[in-house]
Amino acid sequence: MNATAFIVIAIITIAGAYFFLLGAEFVGLVQVFVYVGAVAVLILFTILLTRRDIVSERGINWGGVIVALAVFGGLLWIILNTTSLAVLAPQFEPLTVKQIGESLMTDYVWPLQCVGLVLTVALIGALILVMEEKIER
């Protein structure tokens, strides 16, 4: 449950720090609505539906801690040694919602339809899995 709350906070922070400050309010709001409204709720329901009662307390997974620290150190080293952070971004005219919609409905119709189809199939599959589990009990 705490992990879901932290991912919601991270998504809202990313939307605020990147999209809203860069002037792409539409993309920031879409990120907040889609990821917080749908993905975080999906993660929350997945946790609630698959929760198992654990009797014994487990200790700290030191292997996971070492891997996480190694990944963090590697990413930090890469970020600090990147020279492209000093380059100024070129000025551009911000996109409007109308331009984004026209682009989605003309140039990206097939990818948009494929994503919709994949999400529909995933939703139906999740419902079937939940229904089968409840029937078996």
Side-chain angles (χ1 to χ4, degrees), residues 39-103:
V39 175
V41 171
L42 178 68
I43 291 171
L44 187 64
F45 281 132
T46 304
I47 291 170
L48 291 174
L49 289 173
T50 59
R51 175 176 270 175
R52 303 283 187 247
D53 293 331
I54 299 174
V55 177
S56 64
E57 289 290 323
R58 293 177 23 173
I60 296 176
N61 184 359
W62 289 107
V65 171
I66 292 171
V67 169
L69 289 175
V71 169
F72 177 75
L75 289 174
L76 185 65
W77 182 80
I78 290 170
I79 290 170
L80 293 177
N81 290 327
T82 301
T83 58
S84 65
L85 294 177
V87 177
L88 292 175
Q91 294 294 327
F92 61 91
E93 185 177 327
L95 291 173
T96 63
V97 176
K98 183 178 180 181
Q99 290 172 330
I100 293 171
E102 286 176 354
S103 178

Side-chain angles (χ1 to χ4, degrees), residues 116-132:
L117 183 66
V118 167
L119 290 174
T120 303
V121 168
L123 179 65
I124 293 171
L127 289 173
I128 289 172
L129 288 174
V130 171
M131 286 176 32
E132 286 179 1

